[in-house]
Amino acid sequence: MATTRNAAISFIFFTLLIDVAGLGLIIPVMPKLIGDLTGENISRVSQIGGWLTISYAAMQFLFSPFIGNLSDRFGRRPVLLISLLGFGVDYIFLSFAPTLGWLFVGRLIAGITGASFTTAAAYIADISTDENRSKNFGMIGAAFGLGFIIGPVIGGFLGSFGPRIPFMVAAGLSLLNAAYGYFVLPESLPKENRRAFSWGRANPFGAFLFLKKYASLTALILSLILIYIAGHAVQSNWTFFTVQKFSWSEKMIGISLTMFGILIALVQAGLIRYTSKRLGNEKSVYTGLLLYTLGLTLFAFATKTWMMFAFMVPYCLGGIAGPALQSIISGHVPSNEQGELQGALTSLMSITSIIGPFLMTNLFAYFTRPEAPVQFAGAPFLLAALLMLVSSFLAYQALRTRKPALQTT
């Protein structure tokens, strides 16, 4: 049984790795592609980039509970493979988009089919025990990290030949990913643990009713939401901030994202194994959130390129918080509701991907426009640091009560 579980973790890890690498390929070239299609300056380009992210997130919010419920009914494997195939088709579509409007259409399609991480999280929950759940959820972060090692550096290199080339390569990776999963990915949810599909539970608002059943987890879920909103100070703004502040090229952006990937992989695949045992989930949450706060504050006031690389260290070390928090939440939901839980959480995270990019890119645009009262491109990082502090307060308030439903293992 242990051998089968380890093999399944490896399968899902490599599936996500290829998927993230495809996503990482296109990030360095997005500012140039948007600029080429619109002719706008970096402040306006950042706002458009934010709206592209929002359009993707809005579709994820609407469709993630539906996808999560489908996986509870039919199993994780078929749902995951269809999602991966959808990504490949989307990248092909984007590689030939002639106008900005078509970019938005492509992002909408990707948001509908982009449930691979929702289903992967449910897959991991299916095969995890109380002892290794936090470590296994950390493998999702490790896949993100390694994907961003491979993807952005290749994307930055390919972007020098044209901003559309990385989209074509990303399409190939996504389709390869789907083929890989078809041949090697086993099903994780036994038929006896599946449940009937319910439209009432498959809509995004039904997802909130599902979470309402677990009222004791509300503060922890709010803490997780704030982490994701704050994270968009980096995710949605990094390319725009570094172009505006340091005039970075696509190649330099790719190198920086690769460094992010290396650090995230080290934390999620290595350090978290140590912290989950030595610190436990609760202390990992507090420590990680404080490190996030430190890293974001340092980013806000960085004045040299080398500083951005140095300050990645405390920020990425903060990555021990998310898997620990997710482990606490997941550990108190039955196995036949894990798909619904992950779909509900993904819906909430999709809302953060609507709020976060809107908040952070508009804040960046406001403080970088020529008529801004103060020129301060780091404003989104500073706001994110404050949100991390609020997140740590919420987590502390929830966990300090030591109610049985919230105690860590």
Side-chain angles (χ1 to χ4, degrees):
M1 179 64 70
T3 302
T4 301
R5 285 180 175 175
N6 290 336
I9 287 291
S10 297
F11 292 154
I12 204 72
F13 172 78
F14 284 108
T15 297
L16 291 175
L17 173 62
I18 297 174
D19 198 32
V20 175
L23 179 63
L25 277 170
I26 70 173
I27 293 176
V29 300
M30 283 303 289
K32 179 173 176 53
L33 180 59
I34 296 171
D36 288 348
L37 290 174
T38 64
E40 298 283 358
N41 61 31
I42 191 64
S43 294
R44 179 58 181 153
V45 165
S46 71
Q47 289 181 303
I48 295 171
W51 283 112
L52 282 168
T53 302
I54 289 168
S55 64
Y56 174 88
M59 292 299 100
Q60 278 214 320
F61 167 69
L62 293 174
F63 284 90
S64 286
F66 175 76
I67 298 298
N69 276 265
L70 280 180
S71 76
D72 282 341
R73 171 63 182 88
F74 298 105
R76 319 300 185 201
R77 185 177 184 274
V79 174
L80 183 60
L81 294 179
I82 292 172
S83 297
L84 298 177
L85 185 63
F87 264 127
V89 174
D90 171 60
Y91 285 132
I92 293 174
F93 185 89
L94 290 175
S95 66
F96 295 102
T99 65
L100 183 63
W102 284 107
L103 283 183
F104 276 97
V105 172
R107 290 289 81 194
L108 292 173
I109 295 172
I112 293 172
T113 61
S116 57
F117 291 103
T118 301
T119 312
Y123 190 107
I124 288 175
D126 290 339
I127 62 176
S128 296
T129 63
D130 290 340
E131 290 75 21
N132 64 17
R133 182 175 288 108
S134 181
K135 179 186 72 175
N136 288 345
F137 273 117
M139 294 303 290
I140 296 179
F144 265 100
L146 288 177
F148 275 105
I149 293 171
I150 299 169
V153 70
I154 298 175
F157 171 75
L158 293 174
S160 63
F161 298 99
R164 297 179 186 272
I165 301 299
F167 287 92
M168 298 177 185
V169 176
L173 284 176
S174 294
L175 295 175
L176 176 65
N177 194 1
Y180 171 80
Y182 178 81
F183 288 106
V184 301
L185 188 66
E187 179 55 64
S188 65
L189 185 65
K191 290 184 178 180
E192 61 270 19
N193 289 340
R194 299 178 189 180
R195 61 173 178 81
F197 181 84
S198 169
W199 282 104
R201 299 167 71 172
N203 68 79
F205 305 102
F208 292 110
L209 295 177
F210 168 78
L211 293 174
K212 189 177 180 180
K213 292 194 305 183
Y214 299 94
S216 61
L217 299 175
T218 299
L220 292 180
I221 292 172
L222 288 175
S223 177
L224 192 63
I225 287 172
L226 289 179
I227 292 174
Y228 277 84
I229 292 175
H232 277 282
V234 174
Q235 296 170 26
S236 298
N237 266 334
W238 184 263
T239 53
F240 306 116
F241 175 83
T242 52
V243 167
Q244 195 276 341
K245 186 82 173 180
F246 305 109
S247 299
W248 282 7
S249 65
E250 291 90 344
K251 183 178 180 180
M252 180 58 75
I253 292 171
I255 291 171
S256 71
L257 293 175
T258 296
M259 183 58 66
F260 259 124
I262 292 172
L263 292 173
I264 291 172
L266 290 174
V267 170
Q268 300 289 344
L271 182 62
I272 202 169
R273 297 171 183 265
Y274 173 84
T275 57
S276 63
K277 293 179 180 179
R278 296 297 298 269
L279 297 179
N281 285 333
E282 185 175 341
K283 290 182 179 178
S284 293
V285 170
Y286 302 146
T287 303
L289 288 172
L290 291 176
L291 286 166
Y292 269 143
T293 302
L294 175 61
L296 287 163
T297 303
L298 292 172
F299 282 148
F301 295 101
T303 58
K304 304 288 185 182
T305 287
W306 68 263
M307 293 181 179
M308 298 301 290
F309 284 88
F311 298 160
M312 288 179 189
V313 176
Y315 178 81
C316 291
L317 287 173
I320 65 174
L325 196 52
Q326 192 170 4
S327 176
I328 295 170
I329 296 169
S330 176
H332 297 91
V333 175
S335 61
N336 67 347
E337 294 185 355
Q338 285 293 331
E340 188 173 6
L341 168 67
Q342 300 304 330
L345 290 178
T346 300
S347 285
L348 292 176
M349 297 312 106
S350 296
I351 292 177
T352 69
S353 293
I354 295 171
I355 298 171
F358 177 82
L359 187 62
M360 300 304 178
T361 56
N362 278 283
L363 192 62
F364 173 83
Y366 178 81
F367 282 101
T368 57
R369 60 181 183 171
E371 63 272 22
V374 177
Q375 289 287 319
F376 184 41
F381 295 128
L382 207 56
L383 174 60
L386 178 61
L387 293 178
M388 290 294 186
L389 287 177
V390 175
S391 176
S392 62
F393 173 77
L394 289 173
Y396 174 75
Q397 288 295 314
L399 295 172
R400 75 185 180 95
T401 59
R402 294 292 180 179
K403 293 179 180 179
L406 293 179
Q407 288 181 356
T408 58
T409 56

